[in-house]
Amino acid sequence: MPKRSPRTEDRGQAAIEFAGLITLLLFIGLTAIQLGLAAYAVQQAGTASRAAARAASQHDAGYVGVGKDSMSDWLADDAVIPPPEYFGDEITVTARVPIPAILPILDFGEAERSATMPRD
């Protein structure tokens, strides 16, 4: 029986290590992108709530349209802007924007922001 060299026993090990490492790096990269999308959705919800509150404080019945027009189109379609709340001389509008998911295991739900403006 011929003697085996130590190299034949390690054949393919580098490929397996590379596959495991590339999977981990890909997951970390997608997680970073997902966190960026979450931050962007929160920012867009804040923008929509401020614009809608400004319009509603001036007695504009189209405050929902104003809020959605201030957002990116691809997020505005699923955004929800419920009726405003009145507190004396102030009006508060809330905007809820679903956070898009790249990986199904990283579901952040919705971004919700409120803005309060004085009523005219």
Side-chain angles (χ1 to χ4, degrees):
M1 178 175 246
K3 189 174 180 184
R4 296 179 120 189
S5 68
R7 288 185 166 182
T8 58
E9 294 173 2
D10 291 340
R11 187 177 290 183
Q13 178 180 350
I16 292 173
E17 288 176 1
F18 179 73
L21 182 63
I22 201 73
T23 303
L24 178 64
L25 290 176
L26 185 63
F27 180 74
I28 290 170
L30 288 174
T31 302
I33 293 170
Q34 180 66 58
L35 289 174
L37 275 174
Y40 185 69
V42 168
Q43 183 267 335
Q44 290 291 291
T47 300
S49 66
R50 280 190 304 277
R54 192 175 302 115
S57 71
Q58 297 171 356
H59 308 289
D60 185 357
Y63 68 92
V64 173
V66 171
K68 288 188 175 192
D69 286 344
S70 69
M71 299 174 57
S72 294
D73 291 337
W74 60 280
L75 285 175
D77 293 337
D78 297 328
V80 176
I81 303 175
E85 299 174 9
Y86 298 95
F87 300 105
D89 290 342
E90 296 179 337
I91 187 167
T92 300
V93 176
T94 301
R96 286 191 289 277
V97 178
I99 298 172
I102 293 177
L103 298 173
I105 60 171
L106 299 175
D107 183 20
F108 287 99
E110 289 183 331
E112 181 176 315
R113 287 290 179 258
S114 297
T116 303
M117 296 282 176
R119 291 173 65 185
D120 287 341

